[in-house]
């Protein structure tokens, strides 16, 4: 699986909002400058984050965006599923009927297990882990 820029940038938006949560609502232009992502693209990414109730917006001259959840309650797994859908590493895991060999294929089982481990890791990593530098794999 190769993650899209939507997942990667969506995560960066959430980490940015978490790091700056004490400043009140954050405007898209500020996030754009800090994250080097165009305002137009950020606007497209904020919509699904709002729909998923991970981000909320405040209108007005001092308006902007805030996390709708605590950073420790938002996992990377949520973000990836939001932008990518639940996807497996290989197609035959989700759709065994697409491969004539899937009933006896041990490799397919290995891909299934690898997918499960990947999502286990994504689900156990939170925005809080990333914003505080607490991510254990940072070395």
């Amino acid at each position: 699986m190769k993650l899209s820029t939507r997942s990667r940038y969506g995560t960066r938006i959430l980490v940015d909002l978490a790091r700056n949560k004490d400043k009140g609502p954050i405007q898209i232009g500020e996030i754009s400058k800090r994250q080097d992502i165009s305002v137009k693209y950020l606007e497209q990414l904020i919509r699904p984050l709002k729909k998923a109730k991970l981000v909320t917006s405040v209108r007005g001259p001092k308006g902007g965006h805030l996390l709708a959840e605590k950073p420790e309650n938002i996992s990377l797994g949520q973000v990836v599923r939001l932008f990518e859908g639940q996807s497996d590493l290989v197609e035959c895991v989700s759709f065994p009927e697409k491969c004539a060999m899937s009933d006896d294929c041990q490799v397919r089982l290995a891909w299934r297990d690898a997918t499960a481990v990947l999502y286990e890791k994504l689900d156990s990593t939170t925005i809080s882990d990333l914003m505080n530098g607490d991510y254990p794999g940072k070395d």
Side-chain angles (χ1 to χ4, degrees), residues 16-27:
D16 191 276
L17 290 173
R19 284 184 176 149
N20 293 286
K21 67 180 184 244
D22 296 336
K23 297 178 183 176
I26 306 296
Q27 295 181 346

Side-chain angles (χ1 to χ4, degrees), residues 1-2 86-94 108 110-119:
M1 171 189 353
K2 181 177 178 182
Q86 175 74 36
S87 60
D88 292 302
L89 293 175
V90 292
E91 188 177 44
C92 66
V93 171
S94 303
R108 179 179 161 271
W111 295 138
R112 180 200 62 201
D113 293 348
T115 299
V117 170
L118 170 67
Y119 277 102

Side-chain angles (χ1 to χ4, degrees), residues 53-73:
K53 298 185 184 334
L54 298 175
V55 171
T56 188
S57 297
V58 177
R59 297 184 131 192
K62 301 228 183 221
H65 302 284
L66 301 160
L67 286 182
E69 288 283 335
K70 293 179 180 177
E72 57 271 18
N73 294 338

Side-chain angles (χ1 to χ4, degrees), residues 8 63 83 108 119-120 139:
R8 296 189 333 260
F83 289 112
R108 179 179 161 271
Y119 277 102
E120 214 174 273
D139 295 337

